[in-house]
Amino acid sequence: MSTIVVLGGGYAGMAAAARLAKLGHSVTLLEASGQLGGALVPVREEGFTWDASATSTLLPAVMRDLFRKSGRPAERELELVPMDVVREHRFTDKSSVAVPGGTRGAQLAAFDELGPGRGQQWLDYVSRFNEDWEVLRQHYFEVPWEPTALPAAVEERFRSRETLHKRLRKTFKDERLRLVAAHPFVAAGQELRDVPAWAGLTAYLEQRFGAWRVEGGMGVVAEVLANRMKTRKVSVQTATRVEDIVVRDGRAVAVSTAAGEIDLGADGAVVVAFDPRSLPALRPLVDRTLPAIPPMTFHLGLDALPEHLTDLPDELVLHGEPTLVVRTRGLAPEGRHAWTIHSYGKLMEDVLLALARHKIDVREHVVHRVDLGAAELVRRWRGSPLGVKWAGRSTVFQRLGPRTPIPNVYAAGAHATPGAGLPFTGLSAALVAQTIGPA
Ligand SMILES: Cc1cc2nc3c(=O)[nH]c(=O)nc-3n(C[C@H](O)[C@H](O)[C@H](O)COP(=O)(O)OP(=O)(O)OC[C@H]3O[C@@H](n4cnc5c(N)ncnc54)[C@H](O)[C@@H]3O)c2cc1C
């Protein structure tokens, strides 16, 4: 049985630890903060609970596979609920579209509300990603890739100069469709001119498999996984900040923490599940990457709201300058509401006033609020859970993972292959487990 030390106890670190322990390895998990969960640890104040980052996931099969492959199936521990409306977009011309997940027919009808032919234009845009998904699933997302020996179909996509910005301008005359297609990337701190066109395949995943939330919030996932660390006998050390990986003769031999070194033994390995730029031994390998920065975030605790504000969808995107995203599904005491607002762009006034301009006036209903700037969020999370910022087509080759140039060091998580977001960080953990294999 070999020793594997997993660095970072967010979703990806816990997912990798659970999978590797089930494969028979002796696993130690090191987490700098006082608790496991990383960006999934909710914000709890004054009886309100807000998801700190993710509120839903694409590709629920990835989460189900994690639970099944590491112990009890997900259905026994948490409730994954498909979202009828993934998000509603409201545009500056007062038109709107509520985007349904998991069905072509419903998307056709929803986009047709924006004008004749819009539904078909949307379906045509999304269906172009079908082949991208099939190709990349088999050689990149679900199978450990070998960047220096890629099949031609993958190479063609990864080397293409077409950006998502260009694709959207070419495809849609209606700016509103461009805004809908661009939104997941804007929300993830990306600049469309730097995102390759193939990455837009998330629209296909949303249409084909839907978006799913977890009953009780994403904190439940963090809790269930933390329990799984116990069942799988992962040795968890919280409040343990990793300072570096000690590399000798080209191999990792120890992990150094503020409390001392952890020896890896002869056949040990390390899985890095946070931003590798923070480790001196790995920094030169990723010095061309930059993190994507989270949005300004406002958690609002609200008392009883007027009726027109109680039936908002789980996620509402209010386009404008700035664009505001309202997430309405936080947990609140009876008769109250817990909302989270993200702001993208220049916010020149109080967020409540900015919301009121969209006819969502909650100024008289706020009983508690938590304002978090991007710098504070990154400090709290010790890095950005949005992973690496796209800087063009070569970024895909600059992220580490599942392997790294150091043979017994692997990379998972938002900063690793295949990228940020729960489905992809979940896949990153599966890729690492697949690469390392059984003990
Ligand atoms: C505002 C926002 C909204 C989002 N919404 C969605 C969404 O709706 N759907 C979706 O799928 N995704 C969403 N995401 C992305 C998703 O939350 C992340 O991609 C995912 O949670 C990242 O998990 P991770 O384990 O890679 O990283 P993290 O959760 O950041 O975990 C990294 C862990 O490593 C620890 N760590 C860091 N440095 C050290 C060190 N030196 N030593 C020891 N431990 C260390 C940290 O404390 C942390 O616990 C959102 C992200 C943000 C910011």
Side-chain angles (χ1 to χ4, degrees):
M1 186 191 283
S2 56
T3 300
I4 297 184
V5 183
V6 177
L7 316 184
Y11 179 65
M14 286 198 283
R19 284 179 178 274
L20 289 163
K22 186 71 173 44
L23 288 173
H25 299 279
S26 156
V27 181
T28 297
L29 178 65
L30 308 179
E31 165 56 43
S33 74
Q35 68 183 115
L36 294 174
L40 294 192
V41 175
V43 175
R44 287 197 179 90
E45 285 189 23
E46 305 285 331
F48 296 96
T49 304
W50 302 270
D51 277 330
S53 64
T55 47
S56 64
T57 183
L58 299 178
L59 288 179
V62 175
M63 203 177 272
R64 292 203 188 98
D65 185 67
L66 162 65
F67 283 97
R68 204 176 39 245
K69 297 265 174 65
S70 67
R72 280 151 66 95
E75 298 72 49
R76 306 264 295 273
E77 311 238 20
L78 47 80
E79 196 186 338
L80 273 163
V81 185
M83 294 161 71
D84 293 337
V85 171
V86 178
R87 73 186 81 79
E88 180 181 325
H89 291 262
R90 292 188 186 171
F91 306 102
T92 48
D93 66 358
K94 311 260 185 293
S95 61
S96 65
V97 59
V99 182
T103 129
R104 279 178 59 138
Q107 287 203 345
L108 177 73
F111 281 92
D112 265 345
E113 299 274 311
L114 290 178
R118 299 297 185 275
Q120 194 55 49
Q121 285 165 26
W122 180 257
L123 292 196
D124 291 346
Y125 166 72
V126 173
S127 68
R128 276 188 72 182
F129 293 112
N130 182 345
E131 203 184 313
D132 292 322
W133 172 245
E134 288 309 325
V135 166
L136 297 179
R137 193 168 73 78
Q138 291 169 43
H139 301 286
Y140 178 67
F141 287 110
E142 293 181 357
V143 175
W145 71 322
E146 189 41 75
T148 52
L150 292 176
V154 180
E155 188 88 29
E156 183 194 316
R157 283 163 173 83
F158 286 176
R159 299 284 177 201
S160 164
R161 286 183 189 278
E162 188 185 9
T163 66
L164 193 56
H165 176 78
K166 205 162 153 191
R167 167 89 56 101
L168 297 185
R169 289 210 81 82
K170 254 192 337 214
T171 311
F172 297 125
K173 284 206 178 64
D174 187 332
E175 198 209 349
R176 296 168 301 173
L177 298 191
R178 288 205 291 266
L179 288 171
V180 174
H183 176 72
F185 297 89
V186 174
Q190 304 292 348
E191 169 57 58
L192 280 199
R193 284 191 165 78
D194 296 330
V195 178
W198 64 262
L201 59 75
T202 47
Y204 172 75
L205 302 183
E206 204 168 273
Q207 186 188 83
R208 171 118 187 250
F209 307 107
W212 297 65
R213 63 180 180 82
V214 171
E215 195 60 50
M218 284 294 171
V220 172
V221 176
E223 273 166 33
V224 170
L225 277 177
N227 282 335
R228 193 145 294 190
M229 297 301 97
K230 290 181 201 144
T231 2
R232 296 265 66 92
K233 298 195 170 41
V234 172
S235 158
V236 174
Q237 298 181 26
T238 50
T240 303
R241 193 173 66 80
V242 176
E243 291 177 337
D244 204 359
I245 298 171
V246 184
V247 180
R248 230 170 267 141
D249 300 327
R251 285 185 70 80
V253 293
V255 171
S256 74
T257 75
E261 279 192 9
I262 297 171
D263 200 28
L264 290 177
D267 56 355
V270 180
V271 179
V272 182
F274 55 73
D275 187 350
R277 295 178 322 133
S278 63
L279 298 173
L282 299 189
R283 185 158 180 121
L285 304 173
V286 282
D287 60 359
R288 281 196 275 168
T289 65
L290 283 173
I293 300 302
M296 281 184 77
T297 298
F298 306 87
H299 299 301
L300 304 179
L302 304 164
D303 63 14
L305 289 171
E307 214 176 293
H308 73 284
L309 294 180
T310 54
D311 57 1
L312 295 181
D314 292 3
E315 182 160 320
L316 179 62
V317 183
L318 304 166
H319 290 280
E321 186 50 50
T323 288
L324 301 174
V325 173
V326 185
R327 291 180 159 183
T328 59
R329 260 207 180 263
L331 304 179
E334 188 65 29
R336 295 187 155 191
H337 307 269
W339 288 8
T340 296
I341 320 294
H342 294 141
S343 168
Y344 302 91
K346 283 204 178 73
L347 182 62
M348 309 294 276
E349 58 193 350
D350 186 61
V351 69
L352 298 181
L353 185 55
L355 267 182
R357 292 187 197 285
H358 291 274
K359 307 266 178 296
I360 298 183
D361 193 349
V362 293
R363 283 174 291 184
E364 290 186 357
H365 300 281
V366 177
V367 292
H368 190 67
R369 68 184 267 182
V370 185
D371 295 6
L372 296 165
E376 170 60 14
L377 287 169
V378 171
R379 191 192 62 77
R380 283 186 179 204
W381 287 323
R382 295 177 176 78
S384 173
L386 291 173
V388 174
K389 192 165 186 320
W390 281 105
R393 60 189 177 143
S394 55
T395 302
V396 73
F397 296 100
Q398 288 161 359
R399 286 190 294 232
L400 300 175
R403 297 184 187 84
T404 76
I406 306 172
N408 60 339
V409 175
Y410 302 84
H415 294 261
T417 296
L422 296 183
F424 303 119
T425 51
L427 285 170
S428 76
L431 291 171
V432 164
Q434 218 180 316
T435 309
I436 294 177

